[in-house]
Amino acid sequence: MDEMPVLVDKRAGYWAVTLNRPQRLNAFTGAMHAALMRVFAEAEDSSCRAMLLTGAGRGFCAGQDFSDELAKGDIGDTIDRYYNPLLRKLRALPFPTVAAVNGVAAGAGANLALACDIVLAARSASFTQAFAKIGLVPDSGGTWLLRRLAGAARARGLLLLAEPLPAEKAESWGLIWKAVDDDKLISEADKMCATFGRGPTFGFAQIKRALDAAETNDFSAQLDVERDLQREAGASPDYKEGVRAFMEKRAPVFTGKRS
Ligand code: T3D
């Protein structure tokens, strides 16, 4: 039995969240789903201003654990009750999320990583849309994410062939932000999250909302979305502080708050 399928370290400005079933490459069980969902919900309602998501041991996440009860029932029901709410919650978090992909990310594990705002991956890590190998359809946003991140030809290849995509190729194809040396992964992710944790959090959330809206808007409609979000960002104390700090030639001190 997993005592702590997810570990949370609440640091200054950001939370470091570790999937913690290393003996199964951090594959998803019902307990891990529940724990991760609790962490996301708690972070959303707290002063958390960025989140680092990584895996314990040599893997990031191997998708659904085939030996868990969740894999034995109606898969549509499992997706409805566990995967979809989790992915929706992750995408809607009002602060930057950074995946530090420390090893293999397969199936829903790959898409969990790719759904984060920034993906850093160890050079030895890989991303596998494993679903087609076992007769399944990519879930957890895989068809949506890959089509947009990789383009039509590469999405089809990745999803139908289900071959591992090494981190450096994932970077050169634009699926992830950066492949980094294995021994630098966590320090680089920590540094990025610490910077985000001192940043204008409300402004970051508005940028995320703008990009989400851009997925379906035409150019003209998106201009209006930008105006509305900008109006709110422009009324925030962080905007005032950003300008004041610029004029005074000093580093800004952001609160992250909306008002
Ligand atoms: O309910 C539903 O099913 C719906 C949801 C679906 C979402 C999905 O994610 S479907 C896709 C599920 N995931 C996969 O198909 C990936 C399965 N795993 C693998 O193909 C390989 O393990 C990897 C390519 C990820 C890594 O290979 P390798 O050689 O580095 O490691 P390994 O030896 O295969 O795995 C290490 C251990 O983890 C091993 O256990 P053992 O033999 O040491 O006792 C292996 O069985 C276990 N493990 C890895 N993945 C899973 C798993 N155990 C259960 N479920 C897994 N998904």
PDB file of all heavy atoms in Angstrom, residues 132-164:
ATOM      1  N   ALA A 132      -1.204   3.515 -28.076  1.00  0.00           N
ATOM      2  CA  ALA A 132      -1.473   2.684 -29.258  1.00  0.00           C
ATOM      3  C   ALA A 132      -0.876   1.287 -29.120  1.00  0.00           C
ATOM      4  O   ALA A 132      -1.380   0.330 -29.715  1.00  0.00           O
ATOM      5  CB  ALA A 132      -0.921   3.369 -30.512  1.00  0.00           C
ATOM      6  N   LYS A 133       0.158   1.148 -28.318  1.00  0.00           N
ATOM      7  CA  LYS A 133       0.802  -0.166 -28.129  1.00  0.00           C
ATOM      8  C   LYS A 133      -0.137  -1.149 -27.440  1.00  0.00           C
ATOM      9  O   LYS A 133       0.037  -2.357 -27.540  1.00  0.00           O
ATOM     10  CB  LYS A 133       2.068  -0.003 -27.271  1.00  0.00           C
ATOM     11  CG  LYS A 133       3.261   0.572 -28.011  1.00  0.00           C
ATOM     12  CD  LYS A 133       4.494  -0.310 -27.764  1.00  0.00           C
ATOM     13  CE  LYS A 133       5.513  -0.212 -28.861  1.00  0.00           C
ATOM     14  NZ  LYS A 133       6.166   1.060 -28.994  1.00  0.00           N
ATOM     15  N   ILE A 134      -1.116  -0.617 -26.678  1.00  0.00           N
ATOM     16  CA  ILE A 134      -2.016  -1.510 -25.952  1.00  0.00           C
ATOM     17  C   ILE A 134      -3.457  -1.347 -26.429  1.00  0.00           C
ATOM     18  O   ILE A 134      -4.401  -1.717 -25.738  1.00  0.00           O
ATOM     19  CB  ILE A 134      -1.931  -1.269 -24.419  1.00  0.00           C
ATOM     20  CG1 ILE A 134      -2.097   0.225 -24.082  1.00  0.00           C
ATOM     21  CG2 ILE A 134      -0.606  -1.788 -23.874  1.00  0.00           C
ATOM     22  CD1 ILE A 134      -2.255   0.515 -22.606  1.00  0.00           C
ATOM     23  N   GLY A 135      -3.603  -0.777 -27.615  1.00  0.00           N
ATOM     24  CA  GLY A 135      -4.946  -0.689 -28.208  1.00  0.00           C
ATOM     25  C   GLY A 135      -5.805   0.429 -27.664  1.00  0.00           C
ATOM     26  O   GLY A 135      -7.030   0.401 -27.832  1.00  0.00           O
ATOM     27  N   LEU A 136      -5.180   1.418 -26.993  1.00  0.00           N
ATOM     28  CA  LEU A 136      -5.965   2.537 -26.449  1.00  0.00           C
ATOM     29  C   LEU A 136      -5.775   3.801 -27.270  1.00  0.00           C
ATOM     30  O   LEU A 136      -4.876   3.903 -28.112  1.00  0.00           O
ATOM     31  CB  LEU A 136      -5.558   2.806 -25.000  1.00  0.00           C
ATOM     32  CG  LEU A 136      -6.071   1.838 -23.931  1.00  0.00           C
ATOM     33  CD1 LEU A 136      -5.674   2.333 -22.539  1.00  0.00           C
ATOM     34  CD2 LEU A 136      -7.589   1.668 -23.994  1.00  0.00           C
ATOM     35  N   VAL A 137      -6.623   4.758 -26.970  1.00  0.00           N
ATOM     36  CA  VAL A 137      -6.575   6.087 -27.585  1.00  0.00           C
ATOM     37  C   VAL A 137      -5.822   7.008 -26.617  1.00  0.00           C
ATOM     38  O   VAL A 137      -6.049   6.921 -25.407  1.00  0.00           O
ATOM     39  CB  VAL A 137      -8.010   6.624 -27.759  1.00  0.00           C
ATOM     40  CG1 VAL A 137      -8.012   8.053 -28.277  1.00  0.00           C
ATOM     41  CG2 VAL A 137      -8.805   5.709 -28.664  1.00  0.00           C
ATOM     42  N   PRO A 138      -4.939   7.881 -27.093  1.00  0.00           N
ATOM     43  CA  PRO A 138      -4.283   8.817 -26.173  1.00  0.00           C
ATOM     44  C   PRO A 138      -5.327   9.628 -25.402  1.00  0.00           C
ATOM     45  O   PRO A 138      -6.278  10.148 -25.991  1.00  0.00           O
ATOM     46  CB  PRO A 138      -3.460   9.717 -27.103  1.00  0.00           C
ATOM     47  CG  PRO A 138      -3.224   8.876 -28.308  1.00  0.00           C
ATOM     48  CD  PRO A 138      -4.459   8.040 -28.473  1.00  0.00           C
ATOM     49  N   ASP A 139      -5.113   9.707 -24.089  1.00  0.00           N
ATOM     50  CA  ASP A 139      -6.033  10.496 -23.259  1.00  0.00           C
ATOM     51  C   ASP A 139      -5.253  11.556 -22.496  1.00  0.00           C
ATOM     52  O   ASP A 139      -4.098  11.850 -22.836  1.00  0.00           O
ATOM     53  CB  ASP A 139      -6.851   9.568 -22.329  1.00  0.00           C
ATOM     54  CG  ASP A 139      -5.973   8.755 -21.391  1.00  0.00           C
ATOM     55  OD1 ASP A 139      -4.864   9.213 -21.052  1.00  0.00           O
ATOM     56  OD2 ASP A 139      -6.408   7.650 -20.988  1.00  0.00           O
ATOM     57  N   SER A 140      -5.877  12.122 -21.486  1.00  0.00           N
ATOM     58  CA  SER A 140      -5.244  13.176 -20.678  1.00  0.00           C
ATOM     59  C   SER A 140      -4.772  14.335 -21.552  1.00  0.00           C
ATOM     60  O   SER A 140      -3.739  14.967 -21.292  1.00  0.00           O
ATOM     61  CB  SER A 140      -4.067  12.610 -19.861  1.00  0.00           C
ATOM     62  OG  SER A 140      -4.516  11.530 -19.083  1.00  0.00           O
ATOM     63  N   GLY A 141      -5.486  14.589 -22.633  1.00  0.00           N
ATOM     64  CA  GLY A 141      -5.183  15.722 -23.507  1.00  0.00           C
ATOM     65  C   GLY A 141      -4.147  15.414 -24.574  1.00  0.00           C
ATOM     66  O   GLY A 141      -3.734  16.326 -25.305  1.00  0.00           O
ATOM     67  N   GLY A 142      -3.736  14.163 -24.713  1.00  0.00           N
ATOM     68  CA  GLY A 142      -2.665  13.831 -25.659  1.00  0.00           C
ATOM     69  C   GLY A 142      -2.938  14.251 -27.100  1.00  0.00           C
ATOM     70  O   GLY A 142      -2.056  14.822 -27.757  1.00  0.00           O
ATOM     71  N   THR A 143      -4.137  14.015 -27.585  1.00  0.00           N
ATOM     72  CA  THR A 143      -4.419  14.368 -28.984  1.00  0.00           C
ATOM     73  C   THR A 143      -4.458  15.896 -29.156  1.00  0.00           C
ATOM     74  O   THR A 143      -4.005  16.420 -30.175  1.00  0.00           O
ATOM     75  CB  THR A 143      -5.759  13.766 -29.454  1.00  0.00           C
ATOM     76  OG1 THR A 143      -6.788  14.139 -28.529  1.00  0.00           O
ATOM     77  CG2 THR A 143      -5.687  12.238 -29.514  1.00  0.00           C
ATOM     78  N   TRP A 144      -4.961  16.575 -28.158  1.00  0.00           N
ATOM     79  CA  TRP A 144      -5.052  18.049 -28.211  1.00  0.00           C
ATOM     80  C   TRP A 144      -3.656  18.653 -28.107  1.00  0.00           C
ATOM     81  O   TRP A 144      -3.276  19.516 -28.896  1.00  0.00           O
ATOM     82  CB  TRP A 144      -5.935  18.517 -27.046  1.00  0.00           C
ATOM     83  CG  TRP A 144      -6.392  19.940 -27.078  1.00  0.00           C
ATOM     84  CD1 TRP A 144      -7.571  20.416 -27.575  1.00  0.00           C
ATOM     85  CD2 TRP A 144      -5.709  21.087 -26.549  1.00  0.00           C
ATOM     86  NE1 TRP A 144      -7.660  21.775 -27.395  1.00  0.00           N
ATOM     87  CE2 TRP A 144      -6.524  22.209 -26.768  1.00  0.00           C
ATOM     88  CE3 TRP A 144      -4.487  21.258 -25.908  1.00  0.00           C
ATOM     89  CZ2 TRP A 144      -6.171  23.496 -26.370  1.00  0.00           C
ATOM     90  CZ3 TRP A 144      -4.124  22.540 -25.518  1.00  0.00           C
ATOM     91  CH2 TRP A 144      -4.961  23.647 -25.752  1.00  0.00           C
ATOM     92  N   LEU A 145      -2.891  18.191 -27.122  1.00  0.00           N
ATOM     93  CA  LEU A 145      -1.562  18.769 -26.872  1.00  0.00           C
ATOM     94  C   LEU A 145      -0.599  18.482 -28.024  1.00  0.00           C
ATOM     95  O   LEU A 145       0.077  19.367 -28.532  1.00  0.00           O
ATOM     96  CB  LEU A 145      -0.979  18.188 -25.578  1.00  0.00           C
ATOM     97  CG  LEU A 145      -1.651  18.640 -24.275  1.00  0.00           C
ATOM     98  CD1 LEU A 145      -1.297  17.709 -23.120  1.00  0.00           C
ATOM     99  CD2 LEU A 145      -1.239  20.069 -23.935  1.00  0.00           C
ATOM    100  N   LEU A 146      -0.538  17.224 -28.446  1.00  0.00           N
ATOM    101  CA  LEU A 146       0.440  16.855 -29.481  1.00  0.00           C
ATOM    102  C   LEU A 146       0.145  17.536 -30.799  1.00  0.00           C
ATOM    103  O   LEU A 146       1.053  17.979 -31.498  1.00  0.00           O
ATOM    104  CB  LEU A 146       0.472  15.323 -29.653  1.00  0.00           C
ATOM    105  CG  LEU A 146       1.452  14.543 -28.785  1.00  0.00           C
ATOM    106  CD1 LEU A 146       2.880  14.786 -29.202  1.00  0.00           C
ATOM    107  CD2 LEU A 146       1.310  14.867 -27.308  1.00  0.00           C
ATOM    108  N   ARG A 147      -1.140  17.612 -31.145  1.00  0.00           N
ATOM    109  CA  ARG A 147      -1.516  18.263 -32.399  1.00  0.00           C
ATOM    110  C   ARG A 147      -1.032  19.721 -32.401  1.00  0.00           C
ATOM    111  O   ARG A 147      -0.574  20.225 -33.424  1.00  0.00           O
ATOM    112  CB  ARG A 147      -3.037  18.181 -32.564  1.00  0.00           C
ATOM    113  CG  ARG A 147      -3.568  18.853 -33.800  1.00  0.00           C
ATOM    114  CD  ARG A 147      -3.117  18.116 -35.056  1.00  0.00           C
ATOM    115  NE  ARG A 147      -3.552  18.835 -36.261  1.00  0.00           N
ATOM    116  CZ  ARG A 147      -2.934  19.899 -36.768  1.00  0.00           C
ATOM    117  NH1 ARG A 147      -1.857  20.391 -36.184  1.00  0.00           N
ATOM    118  NH2 ARG A 147      -3.392  20.471 -37.877  1.00  0.00           N
ATOM    119  N   ARG A 148      -1.146  20.367 -31.258  1.00  0.00           N
ATOM    120  CA  ARG A 148      -0.736  21.773 -31.192  1.00  0.00           C
ATOM    121  C   ARG A 148       0.759  21.944 -31.002  1.00  0.00           C
ATOM    122  O   ARG A 148       1.369  22.857 -31.556  1.00  0.00           O
ATOM    123  CB  ARG A 148      -1.497  22.474 -30.043  1.00  0.00           C
ATOM    124  CG  ARG A 148      -2.937  22.761 -30.416  1.00  0.00           C
ATOM    125  CD  ARG A 148      -3.758  23.117 -29.189  1.00  0.00           C
ATOM    126  NE  ARG A 148      -5.071  23.602 -29.548  1.00  0.00           N
ATOM    127  CZ  ARG A 148      -6.091  22.840 -29.916  1.00  0.00           C
ATOM    128  NH1 ARG A 148      -5.938  21.525 -30.003  1.00  0.00           N
ATOM    129  NH2 ARG A 148      -7.262  23.369 -30.230  1.00  0.00           N
ATOM    130  N   LEU A 149       1.359  21.109 -30.186  1.00  0.00           N
ATOM    131  CA  LEU A 149       2.788  21.292 -29.887  1.00  0.00           C
ATOM    132  C   LEU A 149       3.680  20.805 -31.015  1.00  0.00           C
ATOM    133  O   LEU A 149       4.695  21.406 -31.335  1.00  0.00           O
ATOM    134  CB  LEU A 149       3.160  20.537 -28.603  1.00  0.00           C
ATOM    135  CG  LEU A 149       2.531  21.039 -27.300  1.00  0.00           C
ATOM    136  CD1 LEU A 149       2.804  20.056 -26.166  1.00  0.00           C
ATOM    137  CD2 LEU A 149       3.064  22.416 -26.947  1.00  0.00           C
ATOM    138  N   ALA A 150       3.282  19.680 -31.624  1.00  0.00           N
ATOM    139  CA  ALA A 150       4.189  19.020 -32.577  1.00  0.00           C
ATOM    140  C   ALA A 150       3.785  19.223 -34.029  1.00  0.00           C
ATOM    141  O   ALA A 150       4.598  18.968 -34.920  1.00  0.00           O
ATOM    142  CB  ALA A 150       4.241  17.524 -32.261  1.00  0.00           C
ATOM    143  N   GLY A 151       2.556  19.653 -34.292  1.00  0.00           N
ATOM    144  CA  GLY A 151       2.067  19.757 -35.671  1.00  0.00           C
ATOM    145  C   GLY A 151       1.463  18.436 -36.123  1.00  0.00           C
ATOM    146  O   GLY A 151       1.635  17.391 -35.466  1.00  0.00           O
ATOM    147  N   ALA A 152       0.769  18.488 -37.253  1.00  0.00           N
ATOM    148  CA  ALA A 152      -0.047  17.340 -37.681  1.00  0.00           C
ATOM    149  C   ALA A 152       0.778  16.086 -37.964  1.00  0.00           C
ATOM    150  O   ALA A 152       0.455  14.984 -37.499  1.00  0.00           O
ATOM    151  CB  ALA A 152      -0.858  17.728 -38.919  1.00  0.00           C
ATOM    152  N   ALA A 153       1.853  16.225 -38.738  1.00  0.00           N
ATOM    153  CA  ALA A 153       2.602  15.032 -39.160  1.00  0.00           C
ATOM    154  C   ALA A 153       3.252  14.354 -37.955  1.00  0.00           C
ATOM    155  O   ALA A 153       3.192  13.125 -37.794  1.00  0.00           O
ATOM    156  CB  ALA A 153       3.660  15.425 -40.186  1.00  0.00           C
ATOM    157  N   ARG A 154       3.888  15.164 -37.112  1.00  0.00           N
ATOM    158  CA  ARG A 154       4.582  14.582 -35.963  1.00  0.00           C
ATOM    159  C   ARG A 154       3.592  14.033 -34.934  1.00  0.00           C
ATOM    160  O   ARG A 154       3.851  13.017 -34.289  1.00  0.00           O
ATOM    161  CB  ARG A 154       5.516  15.623 -35.343  1.00  0.00           C
ATOM    162  CG  ARG A 154       6.754  15.793 -36.196  1.00  0.00           C
ATOM    163  CD  ARG A 154       7.595  16.965 -35.802  1.00  0.00           C
ATOM    164  NE  ARG A 154       8.843  16.958 -36.568  1.00  0.00           N
ATOM    165  CZ  ARG A 154       9.673  17.967 -36.660  1.00  0.00           C
ATOM    166  NH1 ARG A 154       9.394  19.102 -36.049  1.00  0.00           N
ATOM    167  NH2 ARG A 154      10.773  17.868 -37.358  1.00  0.00           N
ATOM    168  N   ALA A 155       2.456  14.702 -34.764  1.00  0.00           N
ATOM    169  CA  ALA A 155       1.449  14.191 -33.836  1.00  0.00           C
ATOM    170  C   ALA A 155       0.987  12.807 -34.290  1.00  0.00           C
ATOM    171  O   ALA A 155       0.891  11.873 -33.495  1.00  0.00           O
ATOM    172  CB  ALA A 155       0.259  15.143 -33.758  1.00  0.00           C
ATOM    173  N   ARG A 156       0.731  12.667 -35.574  1.00  0.00           N
ATOM    174  CA  ARG A 156       0.271  11.358 -36.068  1.00  0.00           C
ATOM    175  C   ARG A 156       1.323  10.285 -35.848  1.00  0.00           C
ATOM    176  O   ARG A 156       1.034   9.166 -35.408  1.00  0.00           O
ATOM    177  CB  ARG A 156      -0.118  11.436 -37.540  1.00  0.00           C
ATOM    178  CG  ARG A 156      -1.501  12.049 -37.674  1.00  0.00           C
ATOM    179  CD  ARG A 156      -1.998  12.156 -39.089  1.00  0.00           C
ATOM    180  NE  ARG A 156      -3.193  12.980 -39.037  1.00  0.00           N
ATOM    181  CZ  ARG A 156      -4.443  12.524 -39.196  1.00  0.00           C
ATOM    182  NH1 ARG A 156      -4.657  11.261 -39.478  1.00  0.00           N
ATOM    183  NH2 ARG A 156      -5.475  13.334 -39.097  1.00  0.00           N
ATOM    184  N   GLY A 157       2.572  10.636 -36.160  1.00  0.00           N
ATOM    185  CA  GLY A 157       3.658   9.670 -35.970  1.00  0.00           C
ATOM    186  C   GLY A 157       3.809   9.281 -34.510  1.00  0.00           C
ATOM    187  O   GLY A 157       3.867   8.100 -34.165  1.00  0.00           O
ATOM    188  N   LEU A 158       3.831  10.295 -33.648  1.00  0.00           N
ATOM    189  CA  LEU A 158       4.039  10.009 -32.224  1.00  0.00           C
ATOM    190  C   LEU A 158       2.886   9.194 -31.632  1.00  0.00           C
ATOM    191  O   LEU A 158       3.101   8.273 -30.851  1.00  0.00           O
ATOM    192  CB  LEU A 158       4.176  11.327 -31.446  1.00  0.00           C
ATOM    193  CG  LEU A 158       5.482  12.099 -31.679  1.00  0.00           C
ATOM    194  CD1 LEU A 158       5.390  13.517 -31.128  1.00  0.00           C
ATOM    195  CD2 LEU A 158       6.658  11.360 -31.038  1.00  0.00           C
ATOM    196  N   LEU A 159       1.670   9.521 -32.036  1.00  0.00           N
ATOM    197  CA  LEU A 159       0.512   8.859 -31.431  1.00  0.00           C
ATOM    198  C   LEU A 159       0.270   7.472 -32.018  1.00  0.00           C
ATOM    199  O   LEU A 159      -0.177   6.559 -31.322  1.00  0.00           O
ATOM    200  CB  LEU A 159      -0.743   9.723 -31.594  1.00  0.00           C
ATOM    201  CG  LEU A 159      -0.685  11.097 -30.900  1.00  0.00           C
ATOM    202  CD1 LEU A 159      -1.967  11.885 -31.131  1.00  0.00           C
ATOM    203  CD2 LEU A 159      -0.442  10.960 -29.402  1.00  0.00           C
ATOM    204  N   LEU A 160       0.569   7.294 -33.303  1.00  0.00           N
ATOM    205  CA  LEU A 160       0.310   5.984 -33.925  1.00  0.00           C
ATOM    206  C   LEU A 160       1.474   5.012 -33.736  1.00  0.00           C
ATOM    207  O   LEU A 160       1.271   3.813 -33.560  1.00  0.00           O
ATOM    208  CB  LEU A 160       0.016   6.159 -35.421  1.00  0.00           C
ATOM    209  CG  LEU A 160      -1.312   6.864 -35.728  1.00  0.00           C
ATOM    210  CD1 LEU A 160      -1.418   7.212 -37.212  1.00  0.00           C
ATOM    211  CD2 LEU A 160      -2.498   5.988 -35.308  1.00  0.00           C
ATOM    212  N   LEU A 161       2.696   5.533 -33.780  1.00  0.00           N
ATOM    213  CA  LEU A 161       3.850   4.636 -33.633  1.00  0.00           C
ATOM    214  C   LEU A 161       4.166   4.346 -32.164  1.00  0.00           C
ATOM    215  O   LEU A 161       4.736   3.305 -31.844  1.00  0.00           O
ATOM    216  CB  LEU A 161       5.082   5.238 -34.315  1.00  0.00           C
ATOM    217  CG  LEU A 161       4.973   5.393 -35.846  1.00  0.00           C
ATOM    218  CD1 LEU A 161       6.121   6.250 -36.389  1.00  0.00           C
ATOM    219  CD2 LEU A 161       4.967   4.020 -36.508  1.00  0.00           C
ATOM    220  N   ALA A 162       3.806   5.292 -31.282  1.00  0.00           N
ATOM    221  CA  ALA A 162       4.026   5.119 -29.838  1.00  0.00           C
ATOM    222  C   ALA A 162       5.490   4.827 -29.498  1.00  0.00           C
ATOM    223  O   ALA A 162       5.783   4.066 -28.581  1.00  0.00           O
ATOM    224  CB  ALA A 162       3.117   4.013 -29.284  1.00  0.00           C
ATOM    225  N   GLU A 163       6.390   5.455 -30.263  1.00  0.00           N
ATOM    226  CA  GLU A 163       7.817   5.262 -29.975  1.00  0.00           C
ATOM    227  C   GLU A 163       8.274   6.318 -28.974  1.00  0.00           C
ATOM    228  O   GLU A 163       7.763   7.440 -28.971  1.00  0.00           O
ATOM    229  CB  GLU A 163       8.639   5.419 -31.269  1.00  0.00           C
ATOM    230  CG  GLU A 163       8.430   4.276 -32.236  1.00  0.00           C
ATOM    231  CD  GLU A 163       9.065   4.550 -33.606  1.00  0.00           C
ATOM    232  OE1 GLU A 163       9.619   5.653 -33.811  1.00  0.00           O
ATOM    233  OE2 GLU A 163       8.964   3.649 -34.451  1.00  0.00           O
ATOM    234  N   PRO A 164       9.287   5.986 -28.156  1.00  0.00           N
ATOM    235  CA  PRO A 164       9.787   7.005 -27.218  1.00  0.00           C
ATOM    236  C   PRO A 164      10.444   8.167 -27.955  1.00  0.00           C
ATOM    237  O   PRO A 164      11.185   7.950 -28.914  1.00  0.00           O
ATOM    238  CB  PRO A 164      10.821   6.257 -26.370  1.00  0.00           C
ATOM    239  CG  PRO A 164      10.961   4.905 -26.923  1.00  0.00           C
ATOM    240  CD  PRO A 164       9.962   4.693 -28.016  1.00  0.00           C
TER     241      PRO A 164
END
